[in-house]
Structure formats: C-alpha cells, structure tokens
Amino acid sequence: MKIVNGEPTYRATNEREFFQALGSDRTVIVAANTQINLTKFLNDEANFTGIIGRAWLSPLEIDDVDVTCAISEDCVDGQQLTLKNFKNLIISGEGNSSIVVEPRYSYVMIFVDCDEITLENLTIGHTEGGFCMGGVIGVTGGRNVMCKDCDLYGCGTYGLVAEKTTNVSLYKCVVHDCSYGLMQLFNSEGCRFYHCDFCDTGSEILIEGRESDVAFSNCRFYRNDQEHPLFYFDREFVLVDCDVWHRMEKLGTMDKCILPRDDVRFHDLTEVADIQPRTIGPDVSEEMKIAEMQSQAICGTWKWTDGNGVRLMFTLAMRNGQLAVSDCGIYGSTEFNARCTYKNGVLHVFDDSFSTPNVPAFDGKFELNPRGDLVGSYKLRQNGGKMSNGNITLRLEGMD
C-alpha cells in the first residue's frame, strides 16, 4: 500500500491481492497485463466466512447487511461479487487490465448502496461468449457511480443495469456484444452517457429506461440488432451530438426524445462499414485523448448557470481544422470577440481587450472533468472597469 495524493493506493497482481485491497476511501490498481478472474476467489467459501468485511450470502440475505462488505453471492450456477456500502473507491487498470467472471448467471460486479465509485481503464466481462443470464455492471441504490475509459462486453445480458440510483454515468466507454440489450435503467436520476459507443448487441429492447432521467452526448449506436427497438423510455430523454445507425421504424420511443441542438445524425445502414474506431475505451494514450478532445469532444455550446440564469455562454466548433469560439457572452449583456486555444488538455478562451483600460474583457481557462463538464477559473472586466474572478463549471447545452 502507498499513499498517493493523500489517499491509500493498493496494487493487485492476482485475485487474492484484489480482494485484500477492497475497501472504502482508497484506489485499487489492477496491475498491467493482469486478468482478475473473480470466480477463482468467489467460489471458495473459506475466503468469505468469518472474515471481517466479507460475507458468503444468498440474495435474500444482502438487504440485512449494514456494514461495508464484499459479498460472494449465490447466482444459480456459481457466485458473483456484490459490493455493499462502499464509499470513495476507485478501481483502475494500469494497462491491459481486465476483470472477468465465469458463471453465465453472474454479473461481473454489483454495487449496492455505494457512493463515489469509479471504474476506469478496465476491460470487464465474462470469460466466454455466447448467451448469458447475468449482466456486466449492476448498480442498486447509492450515488455517483461512474465507468470511465472501460470496455464492457458480453455475453452478459446487459452492459449496465441501474436501479434506484442517482448520478450513474459512462464516460468514453464501449458497450458491446451483450446477449439481451445494452442497458436498463429503472427509477434512477442523473443517468449520463458521454462519448460512448454502444454496438454489436441485441435480442431485446436495446436501451430501456423506466422512470429515469437519461441523457446521451456524443454517443454512437451501431451494428445492433435491427429487429428490436433501439430506445424504450417512458419519460423524456436527451440526445446531443449523437450518431445513430438503426432502422428508422425500429428507433423506438422517439416521441419522448429531446433534441436540444438538432445535431443528432441518423445514418443509412449501408454506411456501417465506414464507421471508424475512436479514442475511447481502455489503454488510450494521453496524446490520442488530447487529439480527440481538440477535434470533437469539446465542440458545442457551453453554459454556466446559477440562480439568476445563464451567466456565461460560448460555442466551440472546428473551422478549417482549427478550434474556434463564437457567441461568447457574459451576464446576458456583454459579448466578446473571443479567441481560444486548446493545448495539453487546457481550453483557453480569451479576447485581447485587457490591454485597453475600462473596455470589457474576458479570460478563462478550463479542463474537461470525468463527467464531461468544463471546469476552471475566469477573470472578467465589465463596463466601467469593475473586475471579478472565480471558479466555475460549464455544462454542454442539453446535458444539464
């Protein structure tokens, strides 16, 4: 164990080290070129009986657990891992790192009443393809559970199933080759999916949401089963800057869909062969990530709002191969002839007026956070020379 940035960090090279490292308020690193086969550890009752922080339970017993606990849960044809009451846990892959299970009825990982959980740079799925009865990631209760830069694959029934949770998100993930559908979302708020690919899946409704708040930004949907609906939602859902390859008559509940920017592209199915890979999923180099952000991820209209409404707004777009800013305004009254640069992951939006006294001027520096927001600081000179500055968060239009 090491202390990194003030937080305990553990490195796991095998299943036993992985389970020994699990806990709240820490980071667990899955070592490079390592596959953690959870089934090898979960199937041995001796690894869970009488050990603090672990339990060997049936599904009916889990509700009674009121402590932080790693549970080996019965799932018909084997055992599955359920983490209950964990908080502030990051599980991160060092490179070519994966977490897998063997039973067909098993989820790879289930989080119950967990808060502030991040899975990043990992490949997660079942050891064999085919047809499964368990999913990949399950989330019940809790809040702020995120998969970042992950590959979630079948044969799991669904890549993600979330129920009664708040703020579950996927960021730059690939979800594919699941036997039933891509995801199911029930009675959940703040379900957000940024820069993800959903593909090569289906024998049921592909993306299902019931009584849930859902939005997609810069996502792609392709090579999925064309005989079943892509979407089923009983509440409004949002698509922003997305690409869809699916039969129009099988799109599903598009009457519930909000298109705030009118920038969703519905493609002819004959174009599927032309789809190019992009810099998402695990093990993408920092250089590739920066290039992708510059060309695509930060394009759109960004807004900072507070109780008084929109305070700052600007639009980013690629023009002749360069990132450009337009419609930059503050407090709904002052507009700036702004320019921008994007280097080493930092967006700099500014104009050249600070050298001229008493002329309105703006200067801000921002970075994308894992949830897809722009966060950073600004300084502003208003009419008359009054100066102000501070830290702000801007959200992409349609994703607030």
Side-chain angles (χ1 to χ4, degrees):
M1 188 268 288
K2 296 181 179 179
I3 301 297
V4 179
N5 296 325
E7 189 166 274
T9 300
Y10 299 78
R11 188 171 181 268
T13 62
N14 56 48
E15 291 78 17
R16 185 166 297 278
E17 290 178 353
F18 179 79
F19 277 89
Q20 289 173 341
L22 289 175
S24 293
D25 301 312
R26 66 189 62 192
T27 296
V28 178
I29 303 293
V30 178
N33 304 312
T34 296
Q35 181 185 84
I36 302 295
N37 186 336
L38 300 177
T39 302
K40 293 180 180 179
F41 197 85
L42 290 168
N43 282 352
D44 188 348
E45 186 173 356
N47 289 329
F48 293 86
T49 302
I51 298 176
I52 295 174
R54 299 184 197 166
W56 178 279
L57 300 175
S58 71
L60 296 178
E61 297 173 296
I62 290 177
D63 284 345
D64 296 329
V65 176
D66 57 4
V67 296
T68 301
C69 193
I71 300 167
S72 180
E73 177 188 353
D74 173 58
C75 65
V76 181
D77 65 338
Q79 302 294 121
Q80 67 185 6
L81 174 61
T82 296
L83 300 180
K84 186 164 187 193
N85 299 322
F86 281 72
K87 300 184 186 305
N88 191 28
L89 170 64
I90 299 171
I91 302 176
S92 180
E94 201 169 51
N96 189 29
S97 309
S98 60
I99 299 176
V100 300
V101 293
E102 297 175 14
R104 296 302 183 92
Y105 282 77
S106 167
Y107 278 77
V108 182
M109 303 180 78
I110 297 178
F111 298 91
V112 178
D113 297 333
C114 294
D115 298 341
E116 307 296 338
I117 305 296
T118 299
L119 305 175
E120 62 182 14
N121 203 42
L122 291 164
T123 298
I124 305 173
H126 290 72
T127 54
E128 297 183 13
F131 196 85
C132 284
M133 294 300 292
V136 183
I137 300 296
V139 182
T140 300
R143 60 191 302 115
N144 298 336
V145 176
M146 178 175 64
C147 291
K148 173 188 175 186
D149 300 321
C150 287
D151 183 315
L152 309 180
Y153 69 92
C155 65
T157 50
Y158 296 90
L160 172 67
V161 177
E163 183 173 7
K164 297 179 181 178
T165 189
T166 300
N167 297 341
V168 61
S169 61
L170 303 182
Y171 178 74
K172 290 200 168 185
C173 292
V174 183
V175 182
H176 63 101
D177 291 294
C178 297
S179 55
Y180 281 15
L182 294 159
M183 69 175 77
Q184 290 183 311
L185 309 164
F186 304 114
N187 300 102
S188 295
E189 298 298 318
C191 305
R192 298 292 183 264
F193 307 101
Y194 306 95
H195 318 300
C196 294
D197 279 10
F198 300 93
C199 56
D200 300 311
T201 286
S203 63
E204 303 286 345
I205 296 170
L206 290 157
I207 298 175
E208 181 178 1
R210 298 180 185 271
E211 295 299 321
S212 295
D213 163 38
V214 183
F216 300 88
S217 174
N218 192 226
C219 293
R220 306 194 301 184
F221 310 85
Y222 58 93
R223 286 200 306 264
N224 295 301
D225 179 72
Q226 299 296 310
E227 299 304 318
H228 293 87
L230 177 58
F231 301 113
Y232 175 84
F233 289 96
D234 59 5
R235 283 170 51 177
E236 291 181 337
F237 69 105
V238 174
L239 294 177
V240 173
D241 191 24
C242 292
D243 289 275
V244 180
W245 289 262
H246 206 81
R247 287 170 57 191
M248 295 299 290
E249 66 272 22
K250 290 293 184 179
L251 287 174
T253 54
M254 293 302 291
D255 59 312
K256 303 288 187 182
C257 183
I258 298 174
L259 305 172
R261 286 171 25 195
D262 195 28
D263 59 357
V264 176
R265 297 162 290 277
F266 297 93
H267 298 272
D268 191 295
L269 290 176
T270 60
E271 300 174 359
V272 170
D274 299 326
I275 297 173
Q276 298 297 312
R278 56 181 183 164
T279 54
I280 62 175
D283 302 325
V284 176
S285 70
E286 286 302 314
E287 291 80 6
M288 293 174 67
K289 289 181 181 180
I290 290 171
E292 177 78 5
M293 287 179 185
Q294 185 170 7
S295 65
Q296 187 175 48
I298 61 173
C299 291
T301 297
W302 294 89
K303 294 181 178 180
W304 165 42
T305 63
D306 62 12
N308 296 316
V310 178
R311 305 294 298 277
L312 169 66
M313 180 176 72
F314 54 76
T315 297
L316 299 173
M318 296 300 294
R319 294 175 183 167
N320 299 321
Q322 298 292 323
L323 192 66
V325 61
S326 62
D327 303 323
C328 183
I330 193 99
Y331 301 130
S333 59
T334 304
E335 293 189 4
F336 303 97
N337 184 23
R339 298 190 292 128
C340 68
T341 63
Y342 191 75
K343 187 177 181 180
N344 297 328
V346 178
L347 172 69
H348 186 193
V349 179
F350 61 98
D351 67 3
D352 297 317
S353 301
F354 272 107
S355 60
T356 304
N358 299 321
V359 174
F362 176 80
D363 191 297
K365 293 183 178 180
F366 310 99
E367 297 182 62
L368 275 174
N369 71 7
R371 297 195 180 280
D373 301 327
L374 283 174
V375 296
S377 60
Y378 77 98
K379 60 180 180 179
L380 168 73
R381 185 171 64 204
Q382 300 181 60
N383 285 314
K386 182 180 178 181
M387 296 291 297
S388 62
N389 60 76
N391 297 316
I392 57 175
T393 297
L394 297 104
R395 291 199 169 124
L396 195 63
E397 186 176 57
M399 297 299 290
D400 47 10

